[in-house]
Amino acid sequence: GLILLLHGGVGLWPLIAVARLVAGYLTQPDFSLSTELLISGANALGPVAGVLALRWRGREPDLHSLNGVARFLGWGCGVLAVTTASAGAVITWASTGIEAGEAASVWIRWTGGSFAGAAIVAPLLQSWFTGGRLPTRLAELAHLAAVLAAVALLAALVFLPEQHVQLRTWHV
């Protein structure tokens, strides 16, 4: 979402909301439509906030320097994660009646998952948008496959336990 809005404009935020709404109904049909709509909006709000924070800092993300990567991770991915998790945890708490302690746990996992997803996927996509080359050699493709498998395994361990069913669409 962050890269989509960074390069396509924040006006594309409804695409993120619709994608999250579809994913929500495919994975959690027990939430009400109003809850799904609110969470979908929260998932779109995060990337909007991340893009606005990056633009507020004055320039496009430069992933060729350590300062540029830190700025991208902090202002882009960090703001996205905190915004999405904060809105999502409050919505989940208000709509499901979970205890405050559980809502805090939801927030922590949601923040971590959103940050990890954005921090792994967004720089990869950003490098392609700024002239990076796609992996073509067998060793590069194998490395990419291993990294993606490790990310998928970590995501499954964090987000698929039954007590955290509300986080299963963190990736949208």
Side-chain angles (χ1 to χ4, degrees):
L2 183 65
I3 299 302
L4 172 70
L5 300 186
L6 189 62
H7 291 281
V10 293
L12 295 176
W13 70 265
L15 294 175
I16 297 168
V18 168
R20 169 49 182 85
L21 187 62
V22 170
Y25 265 104
L26 292 176
T27 61
Q28 318 175 74
D30 54 323
F31 277 2
S32 68
L33 178 59
S34 60
T35 298
E36 287 293 345
L37 286 169
L38 289 170
I39 291 175
S40 297
N43 274 25
L45 179 63
V48 168
V51 167
L52 294 178
L54 284 168
R55 289 186 179 157
W56 174 71
R57 295 302 300 158
R59 40 184 156 140
E60 290 292 312
D62 173 21
L63 301 180
H64 300 336
S65 71
L66 187 56
N67 284 339
V69 170
R71 190 177 311 109
F72 184 76
L73 292 175
W75 290 106
C77 301
V79 168
L80 174 154
V82 169
T83 302
T84 301
S86 297
V90 168
I91 292 163
T92 302
W93 169 75
S95 65
T96 63
I98 60 175
E99 298 291 324
E102 180 64 18
S105 175
V106 166
W107 184 85
I108 290 167
R109 288 178 177 266
W110 204 321
T111 302
S114 291
F115 182 81
I120 291 167
V121 175
L124 177 67
L125 295 176
Q126 178 67 8
S127 69
W128 290 343
F129 272 107
T130 58
R133 67 176 187 80
L134 297 172
T136 55
R137 295 189 325 241
L138 184 59
E140 293 172 330
L141 292 169
H143 181 258
L144 177 61
V147 168
L148 292 176
V151 169
L153 177 62
L154 180 61
L157 291 172
V158 171
F159 296 107
L160 291 182
E162 275 305 309
Q163 68 268 28
H164 299 290
V165 68
Q166 66 273 19
L167 298 180
R168 289 192 179 159
T169 59
W170 65 273
H171 57 279
V172 176

